[in-house]
Every structure is written in structure tokens, then in C-alpha cells.
Amino acid sequence: KQSMKVAGNAKSCSFANKITYLQRPGEAKNKKVTLIEGIGVGPELSQSVRQVFKEAVVPIEFETFPALNMSDAEVRDSIERNRVIMKCGLDNRKDKHYHDNTIRVRGGLNLFADVVHAISFPNVSTRHEGIDIVVIRENTEGEYSGLEHEVYDGVIESIKIITKQKSLQIAEYAFEYAYLNDRRKVTAVHKANIMKLCDGCFLEACREVAERYPMIKYEEMIIDNCCMQMTQNPWQFDVMLLPNLYGSIVSNIGTALAGGPGLTPGANIGSAHALFEQGTRHTAFDIAGQNKVNPVGTLLSSVMMLRYMGLPRFGDMIEGAIFKTLQENKVRTPDIGGMNSTIEFTDEICAHLKDH
């Protein structure tokens, strides 16, 4: 009777989540992932991921490298063979002529969609509560094209590239994501009032795709106003769709609203490859090697990876252990008001995995 009374409400129905998950044959075999430790706090974060995966008995085998060096044939071969990358830290060289390897990877593997999920966490003190925003950013063009030159002495020109093809691709991914994840609204962020051609092309693509998803509300907002609105009324946003540079800025605002860079997960998605890392990438040299870094953002990125790879039970299990650790509020790293170490926080997550 109760089941019939709530018919149509899957969350309340007594049969919800009772039907078994069916795997493809061979899904339990170990899958290989390219793990990039990086610099700064990267090695500490990678150790946390390995420890949690071992405790959860995740069928993943990591091929580990210290840096995302695309000049290294072994790294290139591993990425091409595995097609999934877990990156725990940056390779952030200070040479002005050096083109960031991460940007090279994004372009070379066509990781066109950068996805950052800014969400409120239990017992993490922030200005706003109840935030749940997904920022989807075009990841391969715009101001990050890397095309700069000195016209003449003291005059630098940087070229912003926006194409209809790439704009359609990222808009389609954002609306597809919203549809598959029961999200109700997509907000396209732009500066078309000034950059009428570049951002106008982006908006044209967004509007074209929006017409194919009438069940999802579509709106547009100028980037200046968007930043103000995020700090005043972040609850109005659901899925945000942006070109490259605006997406980078808004992702960092969302991360700050959620509690800081140690908490927010992210991913770079392409048609054939995927790279998972913290939503906002900071080397955190000031705390590197001090056993203080918060592993939540990186671990939740690994949860995204497990779901992407068809291992949802392990992702759910690890996510549950992370949130239980935060809810109990007994073990906290310094960035969220605690005094515990990275190792202690990771051990507490693993203790909850043992209980599971």
C-alpha cells in the first residue's frame, strides 16, 4: 500500500534501488589508470588516493609518474593505453616560454569539458549554505589558445579564439549533463555586449542546443553580473556553461563558496580520454610536505573517475565514507578548522570503509 501511495516517487518507493546492477562481462578485472603525482602537495594527495583505494579493494591498478610530461614517451604511452588520468598535482614551471603540460594535454586529447562541482559540505563553515553548482567550462580554446606575440616593443597581442564547432560541443555536453543528472537550469555566461563576435558565436551555439532541450530552463548572464550574483545569491545557479577564461574564474568563486580548494572535485572530459583532478588546481607550496593538505577534493575527483569507469559501487562507498567523516566532525584538517593531519583524515575515511 505504501509503495502504491508513493508511486512515481522513486526516492520514497520501497522498491527504489532494489533492482540489481548488471556489469559487462570482465568488469571486475583490474583497470589501469595513469596516476600523476605532480609537485607541491601532489605526492601526499596521491598517497591518500592509493590508501583509500586499497582499503576499498577497488579494481584499479595505477601506473604512477611524477609529472605530466608529454615529452616522456612512457607517460604518453600510458595515457594513450589507459585513456584515464588521475592527476594529484600541477607541473607548474616558472619559465614564461614554457607552455603548461596540462594545457597541452587538454588540447592534444581534446579534453574539451572542464567540470567542477561546488557543493556545501557538512560542518564546513562558509558564508552560504546549501550550495550545489556545477560549472562546465570549454577547455581548449578562448584566451587559453596560447597565441601571444609582441607586435612591437612594449605592445603585446593575445588572440582569443572561439569556434562554432567547439561552442556547440561544450553546449551539448552541458545540456546532456543537465538532462542525465536531473538538473533543471543551464546558465550561459558571456561578455557578448563587448566581445560581440567571439562571445556572440558562443551564445549562438548555446541557444541552438538549448532549443533541443525544452525541459531544461535556459538563461544568459554577463560575466561581471554573474560574479556578483554568485557571491550574493548563489542558489539561483544550477549548471553554468562558460567559455574558458570565464569558467576558470567562476570555478574558483564556486570553490571559495564551498569552503576552499581542498574540497572541490573536478574532471576534464573528452570523447576518448578523461582526466580527474581537484576542481581548482593549486600546488599549495606553503603546506607541501607538512601533512596538512585536505584530500577531500582529490578523493571526490577519484569518485567521479570510478563512476565514469563503470565502478559506481566503489565510488558510492568512498563518497559515503568521506561524508560520514565530515558529518561526525571528529577529524578535520586545518583548512576547515581542525588540527588533524592528512594521514589522520585519510585513516578516518578508511576506518569508515572497514565498517562498510
Side-chain angles (χ1 to χ4, degrees):
K1 184 182 292 186
Q2 180 66 16
S3 298
M4 293 180 67
K5 183 178 179 181
V6 297
N9 184 350
K11 292 182 179 178
S12 301
C13 177
S14 61
F15 294 109
N17 301 321
K18 298 296 185 184
I19 304 303
T20 188
Y21 165 79
L22 291 179
Q23 83 284 5
R24 294 188 183 96
E27 283 290 294
K29 293 179 181 177
N30 273 5
K31 304 174 189 293
K32 291 189 176 182
V33 170
T34 303
L35 177 66
I36 305 297
E37 291 189 326
I39 56 176
V41 294
E44 296 163 82
L45 292 172
S46 66
Q47 179 56 38
S48 181
V49 171
R50 282 192 291 258
Q51 181 181 341
V52 168
F53 274 41
K54 182 179 180 180
E55 187 63 49
V57 199
V58 179
I60 293 290
E61 179 182 339
F62 288 118
E63 294 179 356
T64 304
F65 299 93
L68 188 60
N69 182 5
M70 296 305 288
S71 299
D72 186 328
E74 287 189 38
V75 174
R76 290 199 311 271
D77 290 345
S78 176
I79 290 172
E80 190 53 41
R81 182 172 57 251
N82 300 332
R83 297 183 177 269
V84 178
I85 309 163
M86 182 74 215
K87 186 158 77 72
C88 298
L90 289 174
D91 182 5
N92 189 26
R93 303 183 191 180
K94 299 300 183 182
D95 181 356
K96 69 177 182 179
H97 299 296
Y98 171 74
H99 196 52
D100 189 347
N101 269 322
T102 302
I103 295 176
R104 289 178 59 194
V105 171
R106 291 175 190 165
L109 301 180
N110 190 29
L111 301 176
F112 62 88
D114 181 273
V115 182
V116 174
H117 192 179
I119 187 170
S120 296
F121 292 89
N123 295 312
V124 175
S125 179
T126 56
R127 183 178 296 273
H128 301 301
E129 297 179 353
I131 294 169
D132 185 1
I133 303 169
V134 176
V135 180
I136 298 182
R137 155 193 173 195
E138 204 294 317
N139 214 19
T140 60
E141 55 180 20
E143 294 84 353
Y144 286 59
S145 304
L147 299 175
E148 295 182 306
H149 61 273
E150 190 169 21
V151 180
Y152 51 85
D153 190 36
V155 178
I156 308 298
E157 187 174 64
S158 179
I159 300 174
K160 173 178 178 175
I161 295 178
I162 297 286
T163 65
K164 183 69 175 292
Q165 177 188 3
K166 293 282 189 178
S167 298
L168 284 170
Q169 187 179 44
I170 192 62
E172 182 64 46
Y173 186 83
F175 277 91
E176 181 182 68
Y177 172 88
Y179 174 63
L180 294 175
N181 287 276
D182 194 26
R183 296 277 177 161
R184 306 304 172 88
K185 183 170 71 170
V186 172
T187 303
V189 182
H190 65 94
K191 191 65 177 173
N193 58 322
I194 301 298
M195 300 181 188
K196 299 184 184 299
L197 294 180
C198 279
D199 287 19
C201 176
F202 175 77
L203 283 183
E204 181 183 336
C206 293
R207 292 166 185 166
E208 185 176 321
V209 174
E211 290 180 358
R212 301 201 294 271
Y213 292 85
M215 73 294 290
I216 298 171
K217 184 179 179 181
Y218 171 69
E219 66 178 19
E220 298 170 359
M221 189 175 292
I222 294 173
I223 180 62
D224 316 49
N225 183 36
C226 170
C227 293
M228 179 180 69
Q229 293 293 329
M230 283 197 74
T231 58
Q232 288 186 328
N233 180 22
W235 305 280
Q236 68 184 286
F237 297 108
D238 191 352
V239 175
M240 305 181 74
L241 168 58
L242 310 94
N244 209 335
L245 179 60
Y246 311 153
S248 178
I249 294 167
V250 169
S251 295
N252 277 268
I253 294 174
T255 295
L257 293 173
L263 293 167
T264 308
N268 300 262
I269 305 297
S271 55
H273 298 79
L275 184 154
F276 297 85
E277 59 185 340
Q278 279 186 345
T280 51
R281 293 158 285 280
H282 300 278
T283 51
F285 282 120
D286 56 326
I287 59 170
Q290 298 178 39
N291 196 21
K292 291 181 178 180
V293 64
N294 189 332
V296 168
T298 298
L299 287 172
L300 288 176
S301 300
S302 76
V303 167
M304 286 181 171
M305 180 186 77
L306 291 173
R307 291 171 179 158
Y308 173 86
M309 297 179 73
L311 298 169
R313 182 178 79 84
F314 298 96
D316 294 348
M317 189 164 55
I318 293 170
E319 181 183 291
I322 292 169
F323 274 85
K324 189 171 183 181
T325 300
L326 291 169
Q327 285 167 346
E328 290 184 346
N329 206 26
K330 294 188 297 186
V331 178
R332 293 186 296 170
T333 49
D335 62 308
I336 53 175
M339 297 292 291
N340 298 100
S341 68
T342 307
I343 292 174
E344 289 170 332
F345 195 93
T346 304
D347 286 345
E348 187 70 9
I349 292 170
C350 289
H352 290 309
L353 287 171
K354 288 179 181 177
D355 294 340
H356 190 281

